[in-house]
Amino acid sequence: MGWSMSETSLATALRNGIAWNTINAIFSQSAGFVIFLVLARMLEPAVFGAVALSAVIADFIANDGRYAGMDAILQRGDFDKKSLNAAFISLSLVASPFALFLVMAGPLIAGFENAPLVGYYMPIFGLLLLFTPWLSVMDALIMRELGFKTFAKRNMISTLAGGIAGITLAFSPLAIWALPAQRIVSTMAVVVFEFRHTGWLPGRHTKKGACREILRRFLPLWMVAAINISMQRAAVLFFGIRFDGATVGLFRAADRISESLQNPLVSPLFALWFPLMSKVRGNLAAEREVFTAIIRTAAFVTLPAFTGLIVVADDAVALLLPSSYAGVAPILRAVAITSLMIPIVWFNPIAMNALGLNRMSLQYSIIVALTCIGALVVIPTSTPGAAILVMSSPALVYGVIGNVLLLRRLNLQAKVHYMGLAPAAAAALAMGVVVYYVQATAMVGMQSSFRLAISASLGMVIYFGWLTCFSRSWMIERIQLLRGQDR
């Protein structure tokens, strides 16, 4: 992006980024979760399943492609009118064929899957892709100025606008259009907000060679981003084929609950990699410190959260969702088990990119995705929960391999690295065992809401009590980094 320490304090930018990223993640996930709960009480799982199936391909462009486009523009660093026009045209050459495909394929896929709603939803999501190149350029203009606060405001407004639209239709005779309306209104809110902020409109005059340069940067970034989340979308398609649309809806509901924990905890940490590594690049000792600090902090926040979710999955589902979603609990438990791998698996690709190992990151992501999807297809499973665990098992093996490659690059001993995760793992294990035992012996027959509240409170006391007794300095370091404080 071209800014340096002499122009902007990296520490201040990092603190602001963490603060606004955290606010953004917590608000968006909390508001989105409440909206989801309201819609879930009005709509059948099959409707959510139809939306999930319809959005599988569209989201590769609308989400992954959009932000890969932004990153490509930022990496290139040219923000004159002709360069931005070139970026818009280049990204449109990618988005337009996908949009056309979804418009044409929707009715065919609906007939094949015997899911009529897919025939209506998929073309709509395809047409929305035409806004993606414009949004990528405006995103880049905002983030050029480190607009974390602007992004947070944008997401808050779009989440609320889309939620209001969806809920309004859910309580009307047009209830089946609630989820598409939510997406349409949310997208339009983002377009209007960013245009008011940037005032940028695409033109036809471009700089020679700029289109090729943008695509050269965009395609690898997009491939890594798309591959890293392809396993979840492959699971959606697989569930639709092996099971049924209702099971897809149950899986999506479980994933939505998991995401309400996952995104606020993990997203702010993802935002740390490139700013910190750019500050210390070339200093091996400092690179090691950044790597270990982020991974240990990820363990600090994710291990207790998902250990707890494993224990309270039944109560959480009973409290949050209607009885028609009772099948969510075992799926949610399986998703939570796989989420325990976050400190080992999730950060490998972005850490490789931040260390300049772009080719390794792409190769690693392709191998992991192919192996996990292959396991899902080849190994027979009778339940959705088992399918999730089978699909995720190879990722753990490759996660350790990826760790070894990164540790070798950083000249860091594996024993030292994994011992740095031990405090969170031990505290989370103690928390899970104690809470499960108390539930089984002292809370049998208790109302779900009370049991959930008591379990969560007891878990927090045990987790932080354990760390306070046995790993106090480790815990304090993690909290300081989350708060963006200099150490």
Side-chain angles (χ1 to χ4, degrees):
M1 286 184 296
W3 52 275
S4 64
M5 288 296 293
S6 61
E7 299 165 344
T8 305
S9 168
L10 181 57
T12 300
L14 182 56
R15 285 194 294 269
N16 289 340
I18 293 173
W20 282 107
N21 284 343
T22 302
I23 292 171
N24 177 25
I26 291 174
F27 178 87
S28 297
Q29 288 301 310
S30 300
F33 189 58
V34 170
I35 292 167
F36 161 73
L37 292 178
V38 174
L39 293 173
R41 294 186 178 277
M42 300 302 300
L43 303 174
E44 293 297 321
V47 177
F48 283 91
V51 170
L53 288 172
S54 301
V56 168
I57 297 176
D59 284 347
F60 274 112
I61 297 291
N63 295 332
D64 312 323
R66 173 180 164 188
Y67 290 109
M70 178 190 74
D71 291 340
I73 296 169
L74 291 173
Q75 283 187 359
R76 189 165 186 272
D78 289 338
F79 293 91
D80 58 276
K81 179 68 174 177
K82 290 185 177 181
S83 294
L84 295 179
N85 289 343
F88 174 81
I89 293 173
S90 301
L91 299 175
S92 295
L93 292 175
V94 177
S96 298
F98 279 90
L100 180 62
F101 171 79
L102 292 176
V103 170
M104 297 178 64
L108 299 177
I109 295 176
F112 178 77
E113 291 289 335
N114 193 25
L117 291 178
V118 173
Y120 299 109
Y121 295 167
M122 190 172 284
I124 293 173
F125 297 163
L127 292 175
L128 289 177
L129 293 183
L130 298 177
F131 290 98
T132 302
W134 190 15
L135 289 173
S136 291
V137 175
M138 293 192 290
D139 288 341
L141 289 171
I142 293 171
M143 284 309 297
R144 179 192 185 191
E145 306 297 332
L146 300 178
F148 298 109
K149 182 176 180 179
T150 303
F151 265 33
K153 290 180 178 179
R154 177 204 66 188
N155 290 341
M156 292 176 187
I157 292 172
S158 65
T159 299
L160 291 177
I164 292 171
I167 291 172
T168 300
L169 282 184
F171 284 89
S172 76
L174 301 174
I176 63 170
W177 295 103
L179 296 177
Q182 180 185 19
R183 182 175 288 228
I184 293 170
V185 172
S186 178
T187 301
M188 292 301 100
V190 173
V191 170
V192 172
F193 179 92
E194 294 202 352
F195 178 70
R196 287 175 59 91
H197 187 84
T198 65
W200 187 82
L201 285 171
R204 60 188 179 88
H205 298 290
T206 65
K207 182 180 291 187
K208 184 178 180 180
C211 290
R212 186 184 302 109
E213 177 67 15
I214 287 293
L215 288 175
R216 186 183 67 82
R217 296 175 182 273
F218 165 77
L219 292 175
L221 290 168
W222 182 37
M223 289 176 63
V224 170
I227 289 169
N228 287 337
I229 66 169
S230 64
M231 288 183 290
Q232 177 184 345
R233 290 168 185 168
V236 171
L237 287 174
F238 176 80
F239 282 9
I241 295 172
R242 178 171 290 189
F243 301 105
D244 51 37
T247 302
V248 174
L250 295 177
F251 170 73
R252 191 66 193 97
D255 198 51
R256 191 69 184 83
I257 295 173
S258 177
E259 286 177 354
S260 68
L261 279 177
Q262 191 180 100
N263 287 354
L265 297 177
V266 179
S267 294
L269 294 176
F270 267 97
L272 297 176
W273 283 100
F274 283 97
L276 284 177
M277 284 299 185
S278 66
K279 178 182 178 182
V280 302
R281 184 158 296 150
N283 184 334
L284 186 60
E287 288 178 342
R288 284 198 296 263
E289 183 179 1
V290 169
F291 177 84
T292 56
I294 295 177
I295 299 297
R296 291 176 184 180
T297 302
F300 173 65
V301 297
T302 60
L303 293 184
F306 290 103
T307 300
L309 190 57
I310 293 170
V311 177
V312 304
D314 292 304
D315 291 329
V317 172
L319 178 65
L320 298 173
L321 298 174
S323 58
S324 59
Y325 286 81
V328 168
I331 301 176
L332 178 61
R333 189 172 288 111
V335 172
I337 291 172
T338 64
S339 297
L340 295 176
M341 301 188 297
I342 287 175
I344 296 176
V345 176
W346 278 40
F347 292 98
N348 283 345
I350 192 171
M352 291 174 184
N353 283 330
L355 289 167
L357 306 173
N358 294 342
R359 179 175 296 182
M360 179 186 292
S361 177
L362 181 58
Q363 293 171 342
Y364 171 85
S365 299
I366 292 173
I367 293 171
V368 172
L370 290 177
T371 306
C372 290
I373 294 172
L376 179 64
V377 173
V378 173
I379 300 176
T381 53
S382 58
T383 65
I388 292 170
L389 294 177
V390 165
M391 180 182 68
S392 301
S393 297
L396 179 59
V397 177
Y398 283 114
V400 174
I401 295 174
N403 290 170
V404 171
L405 294 174
L406 287 167
L407 296 176
R408 184 179 302 168
R409 159 66 174 78
L410 294 167
N411 196 22
L412 184 63
Q413 293 184 354
K415 180 180 179 180
V416 173
H417 172 67
Y418 289 116
M419 286 300 296
L421 307 181
L429 178 61
M431 178 197 75
V433 170
V434 172
V435 172
Y436 177 79
Y437 177 79
V438 173
Q439 279 189 344
T441 57
M443 291 191 281
V444 177
M446 185 179 294
Q447 188 175 348
S448 295
S449 57
F450 291 125
R451 186 165 55 229
L452 181 60
I454 293 172
S455 298
S457 301
L458 177 62
M460 291 179 64
V461 170
I462 295 170
Y463 181 72
F464 286 102
W466 180 285
L467 289 177
T468 300
C469 292
F470 300 107
S471 306
R472 182 181 178 85
S473 61
W474 186 94
M475 179 182 67
I476 292 174
E477 287 182 359
R478 309 283 73 75
I479 294 173
Q480 287 177 336
L481 180 57
L482 284 171
R483 295 178 61 184
Q485 296 177 338
D486 293 328
R487 291 184 295 154

